[in-house]
Amino acid sequence: MTKRIFRSILVVSLTALLAALALVVGVLHGYFESRTEADLNQQAVTIARGTALGGIDYFKGLNISSRVTWVGQDGTVLYDNWQNASTMENHASREEIQEAMSLGKGTAVRWSDTLGQTAIYCAVRLDDGTVVRAASTQYSVWALVLQSVQPILVVVIAAMILAAMLASRLSKSIVRPINELDLNNPGGASEDFYEELTPLLTRLRMQNHEIRQQMDQLRRRQEEFSAITENMSEGFLVLDIRTRVLSNNSAALRLLETDCVPVPGETSAFVLSREEGFRRCVEEALAGRRSERMVRRETLCRQIIASPVMQDGHLGGAVVVILDVTEREQRESLRREFTANVSHELKTPLTAISGTAEILENGMVKPEDVGHFAGNIHREAGRLIELVNDIIKLSRLDEGGADGPWEEMDLYRLSKNVLEQVRPAAEKRNLTLSLKGAPAMACGVPQILEEIVYNLCDNAVAYNRDGGSVTVTVEDTGKGARLTVEDTGVGIPAEARDRVFERFYRVDKSHSRGGTGLGLSIVKHGAAYLGATVVLRSEVGTGSTFILNFPPAEH
């Protein structure tokens, strides 16, 4: 405010000074112009008299600084003291010549090509009808200023210094009482300086009270908002119409996989992520359209939802919500894959049963072959029942539990019983089954524990070499029981080891070895339900080893 008052006073002072100078120059200009015209008139009259008496010889002895021209009755230039008269054009059309011929005297002001500037012309008619004209340069305002530039500059500089000093003192004295106001507690001694400030101070007191209340309320809302948004798993960004981030939470930065911390109102959203899907969503939202896209990067899948924000009917910005849908997409992918696999696995035995039953129904089977075909139906039906049972087991594990209470069981005894169950299948392939170790207790649902051990041993038999061996080792590590199932089978390739626990996945794509393809999935989900971990070690052509580590049993 002080500077504005200072500038205002200074500008007014200088404006008045410049106006006075302009007025003085204007008056001088008029004075010199009228003085020049009077002198030229006097010169023209004197030269006319001399010409009338002496003719052209008069001009030979004439010594004058002004331009003198003698024009004949027809406008022909008879003499000119600045140019060759024979080369000059006819002057009959000149304004001052025409006026002198008709009135006796003539005056004109115009640009002169000969003089190269504006000139004043005064012409006088002689008794013989010829005209004598005198011309002189017109004094311009700038010429007058240039002639007196030094004193003018001195006056202007002195006036500017004086005006600046006075303006500075005056502006400070005006603003000082206002600067001394206590805005945090208006209404004190400062009011005595200017009575006109009393309404302002009263209003300031009221506004200060309202502002304090509003600030407290905004602070509480901000704290609540921050507490809510920082605990959200979903990310959000609030953008203005120029893509600048106004607000965000940490989840947004995590989901956009950026280390950049945006500065509110300065950082563009495109600095946080340059992915095409994210950019398109933001651009469409800032164009006034709601947009929704899926953005995938390696194992992370995000859903970007951007909506425009309208303020008083105009687009004010956009709100971007970022959802981590990786798990949902994985579940959906697994569901589709599971549905396709189940359909395929169910279709194979059902097709065999349906085809065999159709042959029997049409009487195309010899009586002695009926038993063979009935056996096929029974075998495929059993395979179908086994598949359905495995699916039911997995569904129960997916739902977070199974029938039966938790019990403490001896893995050594359980493994011995399971080996007896798979012994008939092992003997058909001349496999050696052995159990090593000592009793070790594990806590879990008996049905799930038995399913885990059975599936591991069954796989070890099914995917072994003829004449090979299966070794089960049970031990207590002090940190919990450990069960190891080792075979001498074909082994599992490195690229398939991460997938063998998937449902219906088979390393051997043919179904020659039987099974439902769900055994290791039951092992994985059952172990997870019991809090155990599964470790796989395998070499192609050497065999596979599955190690289950159980948590300590509670006594």
Side-chain angles (χ1 to χ4, degrees):
M1 184 175 178
T2 305
K3 292 182 179 180
R4 294 184 63 181
I5 295 175
F6 172 78
R7 287 196 299 267
S8 299
I9 296 174
L10 187 60
V11 167
V12 170
S13 301
L14 295 179
T15 301
L17 174 62
L18 293 176
L21 288 175
L23 181 61
V24 170
V25 171
V27 171
L28 291 176
H29 176 265
Y31 169 76
F32 281 115
E33 183 174 349
S34 59
R35 182 65 181 270
T36 301
E37 184 176 345
D39 290 344
L40 280 178
N41 276 323
Q42 184 62 38
Q43 287 181 7
V45 171
T46 302
I47 294 170
R49 291 175 182 173
T51 304
L53 294 175
I56 197 169
D57 293 333
Y58 171 77
F59 295 106
K60 294 180 180 180
L62 185 64
N63 184 14
I64 191 171
S65 60
S66 302
R67 182 183 178 186
V68 178
T69 306
W70 187 19
V71 181
Q73 295 181 3
D74 57 354
T76 302
V77 178
L78 303 176
Y79 172 82
D80 191 274
N81 65 338
W82 282 29
Q83 279 190 326
N84 189 353
S86 61
T87 62
M88 297 177 64
E89 61 183 6
N90 192 285
H91 277 38
S93 60
R94 299 293 196 271
E95 179 183 353
E96 68 279 4
I97 301 298
Q98 292 179 352
E99 188 176 350
M101 287 184 176
S102 60
L103 301 177
K105 289 185 179 182
T107 304
V109 178
R110 67 172 180 276
W111 177 262
S112 172
D113 293 331
T114 303
L115 299 177
Q117 53 188 322
T118 303
I120 300 176
Y121 297 93
C122 292
V124 177
R125 186 186 63 195
L126 277 65
D127 294 339
D128 59 0
T130 60
V131 176
V132 172
R133 185 188 68 179
S136 179
T137 302
Q138 181 187 33
Y139 282 94
S140 64
V141 175
W142 292 111
L144 294 174
V145 171
L146 290 175
Q147 290 177 4
S148 56
V149 65
Q150 185 174 357
I152 290 177
L153 284 177
V154 172
V155 171
V156 169
I157 292 173
M160 288 179 63
I161 295 173
L162 180 60
M165 294 174 59
L166 293 176
S168 177
R169 292 190 60 183
L170 185 58
S171 60
K172 290 179 180 179
S173 64
I174 292 174
V175 174
R176 185 181 298 109
I178 300 176
N179 289 335
E180 292 176 355
L181 286 174
D182 184 5
L183 297 181
N184 293 323
N185 184 26
S190 298
E191 289 187 31
D192 298 335
F193 286 91
Y194 295 119
E195 294 182 359
E196 293 81 3
L197 292 178
T198 302
L200 173 63
L201 297 177
T202 303
R203 185 61 182 270
L204 284 176
R205 284 195 299 270
M206 297 173 60
Q207 288 185 345
N208 283 347
H209 180 68
E210 293 177 2
I211 290 173
R212 280 193 292 270
Q213 289 182 332
Q214 292 173 357
M215 289 297 294
D216 292 340
Q217 186 176 5
L218 286 174
R219 190 179 299 107
R220 288 194 298 270
R221 290 183 178 179
Q222 180 66 31
E223 291 173 355
E224 294 172 359
F225 180 76
S226 298
I228 293 172
T229 56
E230 287 303 317
N231 287 282
M232 290 172 55
S233 59
E234 299 82 4
F236 83 94
L237 301 170
V238 180
L239 312 178
D240 64 10
I241 58 176
R242 297 182 180 178
T243 75
R244 294 176 299 194
V245 179
L246 302 179
S247 180
N248 69 282
N249 64 349
S250 57
L253 305 182
R254 175 177 55 82
L255 292 174
L256 291 175
E257 298 181 304
T258 179
D259 296 329
C260 174
V261 178
V263 179
E266 295 183 12
T267 305
S268 171
F270 296 146
V271 174
L272 306 181
S273 176
R274 301 185 183 277
E275 293 175 297
E276 182 66 19
F278 177 79
R279 177 180 290 272
R280 289 288 183 86
C281 274
V282 172
E283 289 175 348
E284 291 183 14
L286 293 179
R289 301 184 300 272
R290 185 181 184 275
S291 179
E292 183 174 338
R293 293 178 185 271
M294 299 294 293
V295 177
R296 294 178 175 84
R297 179 190 290 179
E298 298 177 355
T299 59
L300 182 62
C301 182
R302 292 149 295 168
Q303 183 179 13
I304 311 295
I305 304 173
S307 301
V309 176
M310 308 303 294
Q311 295 178 339
D312 300 328
H314 299 285
L315 183 66
V319 174
V320 181
V321 178
I322 308 166
L323 307 176
D324 185 355
V325 294
T326 305
E327 184 177 353
R328 187 185 74 184
E329 289 294 305
Q330 290 175 345
R331 288 200 303 268
E332 182 64 20
S333 177
L334 288 174
R335 184 192 64 79
R336 291 192 297 266
E337 184 179 353
F338 179 75
T339 302
N341 287 330
V342 167
S343 300
H344 175 73
E345 295 292 338
L346 290 176
K347 182 179 180 181
T348 302
L350 286 174
T351 300
I353 292 172
S354 176
T356 304
E358 184 179 0
I359 293 174
L360 291 172
E361 182 183 19
N362 293 332
M364 299 173 63
V365 181
K366 296 178 182 181
E368 60 271 20
D369 295 330
V370 170
H372 171 71
F373 282 94
N376 287 341
I377 294 176
H378 182 266
R379 184 171 56 256
E380 293 297 333
R383 180 181 170 189
L384 188 61
I385 292 172
E386 182 184 1
L387 175 62
V388 172
N389 287 335
D390 285 347
I391 292 174
I392 292 173
K393 293 172 188 174
L394 274 174
S395 298
R396 288 175 177 173
L397 290 173
D398 286 341
E399 292 172 0
D403 294 336
W406 284 56
E407 298 179 9
E408 192 174 1
M409 298 185 64
D410 183 1
L411 287 180
Y412 189 88
R413 181 181 299 176
L414 176 61
S415 300
K416 184 177 181 181
N417 294 335
V418 170
L419 288 176
E420 290 301 320
Q421 295 178 35
V422 300
R423 188 173 297 280
E427 291 176 349
K428 290 181 181 180
R429 302 185 59 195
N430 198 25
L431 298 177
T432 301
L433 303 179
S434 59
L435 176 63
K436 297 180 180 181
M441 307 305 293
C443 189
V445 179
Q447 181 183 354
I448 297 178
L449 280 170
E450 185 176 358
E451 286 290 341
I452 291 173
V453 178
Y454 178 82
N455 278 292
L456 288 176
C457 294
D458 185 57
N459 271 11
V461 172
Y463 293 95
N464 214 321
R465 300 178 184 273
D466 292 342
S469 65
V470 176
T471 304
V472 179
T473 304
V474 179
E475 54 186 329
D476 190 346
T477 64
K479 297 180 180 180
R482 176 183 293 166
L483 173 71
T484 304
V485 179
E486 183 178 3
D487 64 61
T488 58
V490 296
I492 302 172
E495 64 273 10
R497 289 172 197 161
D498 292 334
R499 300 197 60 193
V500 292
F501 294 101
E502 295 179 8
R503 302 174 187 188
F504 298 107
Y505 181 81
R506 289 185 176 89
V507 178
D508 183 2
K509 300 303 179 183
S510 68
H511 294 259
S512 59
R513 298 185 184 271
T516 62
L518 296 174
L520 289 180
S521 292
I522 293 175
V523 171
K524 175 184 176 181
H525 287 76
Y529 178 74
L530 298 178
T533 59
V534 183
V535 179
L536 168 60
R537 299 171 184 168
S538 183
E539 294 291 337
V540 177
T542 301
S544 301
T545 301
F546 288 86
I547 303 173
L548 272 77
N549 294 301
F550 291 88
E554 297 180 359
H555 298 286

